[in-house]
Amino acid sequence: MTAGTSRLTWAQLRDLNCAELEGAADGWGKASNRADAGRDRIEKQLLNGLRETQQGAAADAAVGRLRQLGRNLQYVYTECGLVRTALNSLAHEMKAQQRALRDALDDAAALRFTVHADGSVTYPEAGEGLVDGKPLAGGTASVGTAPGMLPPAGLVAPNPNTAKAQDIADRVAKAVRTAAEVDWRFARILRKLKAEEGLTVPDRTWTDAAGDAAAVRAAARGYLKSGIPYEAGPAARREWWAGLTDEQREEYLAVYPDLIGNLDGIPALIRDTANRDNLQLLIGKLEGQDGDRAETQLAGLREIDRQLQAGRQPPMYLLGIGDEGNGRAIVSYGNPDTARNVSAYVPGLNTSLDADFAKNDLKRALDTAKGASKYDHSSASIVWLGYDAPQSPDGFGSLDVMGDDRALKGGSAFHQFMSGISATNENDDPHVTAIGHSYGSRTVGAATQHGGGIPGVDDIVLVGSPGVGVDRAEELGVGQDHVFVGAAENDVVTKLPSKQQSAAGAAGWAAAGPAGAYLLGEIADQGDDDLWFGKDPASAAFGARRFPVSEGPRLIGGHGVSIDAHSQYFDPQRDAMSADSIALIAAGRGDKVKIEESR
């Protein structure tokens, strides 16, 4: 059947048994669930058991085969889930047209009209003529006609049944025509939901799966998506998810893993499940694209996928993933819903979804998680790339990093995310820490300026900060004794001159690069404690608690210009004092942190 050439009749639409479609959908749902259960057993039992008990070439080969089997089952889960939702969506839309048809047929029966097989409607005589007073003749209405109507100049009134019959004929035709379009739309989708033969699922198959998911979403239209509470707060979203049936949750996860996985207020385990599936779909999607952006993001996605498959400890939870803007990725080491201590780190300048982020920024969160677990094993550490951080090839020559816009937008998103963490954590009073590095500290500062501060946050850590947008620690909403600052002596970012000090103009220091910016700061500061985004967080005037950190490599040394002092705060090998202080604060032991004098 093709659109516009339907042979569907109203009798076939009336008699269509949508329960059979829903029964078939249930069968595909069971197949999807079995595949998911198999994948789960492989990832959480078999692979972990092999890694812990076996070593050698044979064990490595077995791990490789199990990973491939798990990948295959993930594909089966995804595709079967799409078939299930396509069939349920088809039944949903067909039922709507059956209701419209039934209403029209009921109206015809009540009026004693006859609906013929071709959809025309015969109506009896009625009314009375203006001249002779006799009943006006009946007739037959069909689509696109107005039978029984005479020119306006005539002296005969129309049969009052004429318009009623025409309305019924049009409603019957519309229901049949719409049902035929629905049938045609879903037939195309279902024909495409098939896999190539073989026992492996290559990347090109996931590329097809990404297209399949997009097609099912377009075909399903309002069946599921309209029910997602985008405008509600995280607590309401949590309640919405809890109130769904198992079948409804399964369909949302199958068709909208990107929406559910990135929806603040949804439990971490659910977000992780959704985002792991969406990760594969994104890899498949970007595999089919050209250009530097796709290649860069694909490298980041692959590295995150590799780490997820490695089964490292603490366990990884993928709380967000996406390819919008410079890319999105939110990873937690430890479950933030069950941990008593949760920290969330916001990266800054030049951070994007790429291989460097997946290796280095994830490691910062991992190092913090491991360090915090030494003081309290119930700890989770998150790296949050939920905004477009400024990008600058030389590190500083960017108008974006000089402005507040990205921090303000990012701060709003971070505030919403932390509200979700607060809503889903199962402890009565969890300890929560917000950590901002570089421009990320400005983003954290922006998040604090929303009503009531950052939801649930007890402590704030600022490292390598060019300022946070306020001039006093007490303005961050947690009390100045709960704001901690780390500023390396050789970290150029913590020496950027204020906007007022840069009388030569922003373009001047931006063009000068990191060395010029540093020297400008050294010359212009002269006892002034203002930085680019307000008061220096490490200054006495700001009023935060400054913990000791390594000086870091000098900006200009034997190997040329280096800004490494800006990037080692979290590293227990390169700056043990700083990393341990961050871990103590994240574990709720901020009172044990050693404090040094402010600048």
Side-chain angles (χ1 to χ4, degrees), residues 196-222:
E196 58 189 81
E197 295 183 0
L199 296 177
T200 61
V201 180
D203 289 337
R204 65 177 179 274
T205 304
W206 276 108
T207 300
D208 292 340
D212 292 342
V216 170
R217 293 179 195 186
R221 294 178 180 172

Side-chain angles (χ1 to χ4, degrees), residues 50 230 386 435 475:
L50 268 175
Y230 297 106
I435 305 172
E475 297 178 62

Side-chain angles (χ1 to χ4, degrees), residues 57 62 78-79 88 132 163 188 238 248 285 334 362-363 479 555:
T78 298
E79 290 291 291
N88 275 333
D132 56 13
R188 291 182 62 202
R238 180 198 62 203
Q248 288 172 321
K285 172 185 174 182
L362 264 65
K363 181 180 181 298
L555 178 68

Side-chain angles (χ1 to χ4, degrees), residues 231-251:
E231 302 303 321
R237 292 170 180 172
R238 180 198 62 203
E239 295 304 318
W240 167 76
W241 183 261
L244 296 176
T245 65
D246 289 342
E247 291 76 11
Q248 288 172 321
R249 293 191 194 111
E250 290 163 5
E251 286 198 84

Side-chain angles (χ1 to χ4, degrees), residues 13-96:
L13 175 59
R14 178 196 62 192
D15 298 335
L16 178 65
N17 186 358
C18 289
E20 292 183 353
L21 292 173
E22 292 170 332
D26 288 342
W28 285 100
K30 291 177 182 177
S32 178
N33 291 340
R34 282 195 288 269
D36 190 41
R39 177 189 63 172
D40 192 63
R41 187 184 178 202
I42 287 171
E43 292 180 353
K44 295 183 179 178
Q45 296 181 32
L46 299 181
L47 280 174
N48 287 339
L50 268 175
R51 293 188 188 103
E52 293 171 0
T53 62
Q54 304 295 322
Q55 293 181 345
D60 291 342
V63 166
R65 289 194 171 191
L66 283 172
R67 283 180 177 169
Q68 181 61 60
L69 180 57
R71 183 177 171 86
N72 293 355
L73 288 173
Q74 184 174 19
Y75 175 77
V76 172
Y77 160 77
T78 298
E79 290 291 291
C80 288
L82 292 176
V83 173
R84 171 191 189 167
T85 299
L87 290 171
N88 275 333
S89 299
L90 172 59
H92 174 78
E93 294 199 35
M94 284 297 194
K95 282 181 176 180

Side-chain angles (χ1 to χ4, degrees), residues 4 67 69 166 248 339 478 525 539:
R67 283 180 177 169
L69 180 57
Q166 188 63 56
Q248 288 172 321
V478 294
D525 201 351
S539 69

Side-chain angles (χ1 to χ4, degrees), residues 542-554:
F542 190 80
R545 302 175 69 192
R546 185 184 182 191
F547 54 86
V549 302
S550 168
E551 291 185 353
R554 295 184 61 81

Side-chain angles (χ1 to χ4, degrees), residues 161-246:
N161 285 330
T162 300
K164 297 176 183 178
Q166 188 63 56
D167 176 66
I168 291 172
D170 290 342
R171 286 157 60 194
V172 169
K174 181 180 179 181
V176 173
R177 181 174 62 252
T178 304
E181 292 172 351
V182 169
D183 178 70
W184 173 76
R185 178 158 37 96
F186 279 95
R188 291 182 62 202
I189 298 300
L190 290 167
R191 288 192 191 102
K192 292 181 179 180
L193 292 175
K194 59 182 181 180
E196 58 189 81
E197 295 183 0
L199 296 177
T200 61
V201 180
D203 289 337
R204 65 177 179 274
T205 304
W206 276 108
T207 300
D208 292 340
D212 292 342
V216 170
R217 293 179 195 186
R221 294 178 180 172
Y223 170 58
L224 291 174
K225 188 175 182 180
S226 60
I228 300 175
Y230 297 106
E231 302 303 321
R237 292 170 180 172
R238 180 198 62 203
E239 295 304 318
W240 167 76
W241 183 261
L244 296 176
T245 65
D246 289 342

